[in-house]
Amino acid sequence: MAPLLAFAIVFVILLVALIKLKITPSVGLFAAAILFGIMVGMPMSDILNTLPAGFANMMKSIGLLIIFGSIFGDFLGKSGATEELAKGMVRLFGKKNDLLALNLVGFILSIPIYFGCAYIMTAPLVNALQKISRKSMKGYVIAIFTGLMLTHSCVAPTPGPLAVAGQVGASVGWFIIWGIVVCLPASLLIGWLFANFVASKDDKKKAHEAMQEILSDEELLAPDPTKPSALMAFGLVIFPIVLIVFASIFSLFVSEGPVYTVVSFIGNSNIALFIAMLVAGYSLHKYMPDTKVMDFIDESANRTGNVLLIVGAGGCFAAMLGATTMSEDLVAIMSATNMPVILLGFLLAFFIRAAVGSATAAMLTGIAIAGPVCVAAGMSPIVAGLSVCLGANAATFPTDVTFWFPSQYNGLDTKDCILTTTVPSVLSGLVGLAVLALLNAFSGVLPGMF
């Protein structure tokens, strides 16, 4: 059977299994990989070799990063560092700019911390701020959700963007830099300006009641001496990012020698996050007096098993797709339809996430198909990868558990969830795609693109 036809059939089966039958993503992806191999007539011996090779390649790329990044984020959350960082951002930007502050908090937090964990940790602050200001809850949710989702989907070291960067062979450091460049305008336009627009239309603030809350407002935003300072939290969050990015920039000017060797070693993504994990653990230990650092690392590592299984199963599926002529078939179709190459990855990831409800699965599948096509067409690997990431970011629908977070943690109904998750996700994805298209036009002269 032709690979494209086999993929279409397997994809429909996968959607039914995940959405209707509630099959767990790891089981569904692994079974889909086997079924696809059988349908395209791949010899059983090749299937047996390709499956573990795909899993191994994915673990080689991001396995350690997922583990170290998860533990690093757990240290920040357990110690209260993320909460203090959020409050510090609001103090810095002022209460009138609380939506901007929340958007930037989300933008920063979701770089090293998983979206779900970061949203749950910041939801109480969102609720308290809304109670004080009497502004629309919808504006607050749009601000935090947009910032969190963009960097979760597009900025390493979160697993999805890391996997994408690995699949297209892009430098992780440059992928981080250009991911931030693409996402920041989208975050500010949608997570701040659009959030303010929604809040102003639904403003039910009552001055008298707000005045009665001033004292609790000050108490809410005041630094907690029993928790890490906002400055310390910020320093820990950006520490591994600085190591990785500095190594990438340093390599532009120096390519050999002992200093280059040391900087490259420390700036390696695995080493940088490993160091950051240990630095965070021992720096924040005094704020977790009942927890031993090594015991906490063991407990946190145990919780990453499901994530590793999903990512590994996605690697199996991606390897099976890559072992066929699907990329060449897509090149032929694109030549006939004249579809802009940059749209292929975006649309593939968009529709996959809309149906499956997993940004990571959408990125893994989308990049496996679109990545080779885009690179073969002469596109920058970073542009190709970010187009897939933006497509995955743009599709937050009821099939995705994150769609329901505002309902669970902020008391919004389904209609409001659409306004606060689906609408800003689509808009921010399109804004990011427009910025990416502009970068693509100048990719030949921009550093780190190839």
Side-chain angles (χ1 to χ4, degrees):
M1 183 181 294
L4 278 174
L5 178 59
F7 172 74
I9 295 172
V10 171
F11 183 64
V12 171
I13 295 173
L14 178 61
L15 296 187
V16 173
L18 294 175
I19 298 172
K20 296 295 184 181
L21 304 180
K22 307 299 181 184
I23 301 297
T24 185
S26 56
V27 173
L29 286 167
F30 192 78
I34 297 174
L35 180 59
F36 177 80
I38 294 173
M39 291 180 69
V40 298
M42 186 179 293
M44 291 297 173
S45 59
D46 289 349
I47 293 176
L48 294 177
N49 290 329
T50 303
L51 289 172
F55 187 92
N57 287 336
M58 193 59 69
M59 291 301 102
K60 179 181 178 181
S61 300
I62 61 172
L64 290 174
L65 293 171
I66 291 174
I67 296 172
F68 297 150
S70 297
I71 298 170
F72 176 61
D74 284 348
F75 272 124
L76 295 174
K78 175 73 173 179
S79 65
T82 50
E83 180 185 348
E84 290 303 302
L85 174 58
K87 294 194 298 186
M89 292 291 287
V90 175
R91 291 195 302 269
L92 176 65
F93 286 89
K95 299 167 191 174
K96 292 183 179 180
N97 294 318
D98 49 1
L99 291 176
L100 172 61
L102 278 176
N103 179 249
L104 292 176
V105 165
F107 193 88
I108 294 171
L109 286 185
S110 209
I111 293 176
I113 304 173
Y114 289 126
F115 173 92
C117 179
Y119 193 98
I120 292 169
M121 287 189 296
T122 55
L125 180 62
V126 171
N127 293 335
L129 288 173
Q130 191 277 332
K131 181 180 179 181
I132 293 164
S133 69
R134 304 301 185 191
K135 294 179 182 177
S136 168
M137 175 63 79
K138 288 179 277 189
Y140 281 105
V141 172
I142 291 172
I144 193 72
F145 191 96
T146 303
L148 288 170
M149 185 56 70
L150 275 167
T151 49
H152 168 79
S153 301
C154 301
V155 181
T158 48
L162 274 173
V164 169
Q167 287 289 315
V168 295
S171 162
V172 173
W174 282 112
F175 205 84
I176 291 174
I177 293 172
W178 290 116
I180 292 174
V181 170
V182 167
C183 289
L184 187 57
S187 186
L188 294 176
L189 283 173
I190 308 304
W192 179 31
L193 299 182
F194 178 70
N196 267 315
F197 172 75
V198 171
S200 64
K201 289 189 65 175
D202 194 41
D203 194 357
K204 298 179 180 178
K205 181 171 58 176
K206 297 180 181 178
H208 178 67
E209 293 180 350
M211 287 297 293
Q212 294 178 339
E213 299 288 348
I214 290 178
L215 179 60
S216 60
D217 177 33
E218 298 298 331
E219 292 175 348
L220 170 70
L221 299 179
D224 187 340
T226 65
K227 296 178 181 178
S229 68
L231 183 61
M232 179 181 183
F234 179 74
L236 289 172
V237 167
I238 67 169
F239 176 61
I241 300 171
V242 169
L243 291 180
I244 296 171
V245 172
F246 177 75
S248 295
I249 296 176
F250 187 80
S251 65
L252 292 176
F253 305 98
V254 181
S255 59
E256 59 183 2
V259 176
Y260 169 79
T261 301
V262 172
V263 171
S264 298
F265 179 79
I266 296 176
N268 174 271
S269 301
N270 291 321
I271 302 301
L273 265 181
F274 176 71
I275 295 172
M277 176 193 72
L278 295 178
V279 170
Y282 286 101
S283 298
L284 301 173
H285 178 241
K286 64 180 179 180
Y287 302 102
M288 303 181 292
D290 298 329
T291 304
K292 294 182 179 179
V293 173
M294 291 301 157
D295 289 344
F296 186 84
I297 290 176
D298 286 339
E299 294 169 5
S300 181
N302 287 336
R303 295 191 290 270
T304 65
N306 185 54
V307 177
L308 290 172
L309 185 56
I310 293 173
V311 172
C316 296
F317 192 27
M320 295 298 290
L321 296 175
T324 68
T325 60
M326 182 178 295
S327 297
E328 290 81 357
D329 296 342
L330 281 170
V331 171
I333 293 175
M334 288 176 57
S335 299
T337 59
N338 293 319
M339 175 187 289
V341 177
I342 198 171
L343 285 180
L344 177 65
F346 182 90
L347 292 176
L348 275 174
F350 179 90
F351 288 118
I352 293 171
R353 187 186 174 201
V356 178
S358 169
T360 301
M363 283 184 265
L364 290 171
T365 307
I367 198 62
I369 300 171
V373 176
C374 294
V375 174
M379 179 179 288
S380 159
I382 288 180
V383 173
L386 286 176
S387 69
V388 170
C389 294
L390 287 167
N393 167 84
T396 305
F397 293 96
T399 52
D400 194 324
V401 66
T402 60
F403 173 90
W404 301 104
F405 276 12
S407 173
Q408 297 175 32
Y409 298 105
N410 307 111
L412 299 183
D413 59 24
T414 302
K415 181 179 178 181
D416 289 339
C417 285
I418 293 175
L419 178 62
T420 57
T421 65
T422 305
V423 173
S425 292
V426 172
L427 292 176
S428 62
L430 292 175
V431 171
L433 184 63
V435 176
L436 187 63
L438 180 63
L439 294 180
N440 184 48
F442 297 95
S443 61
V445 297
L446 293 175
M449 282 289 184
F450 289 93

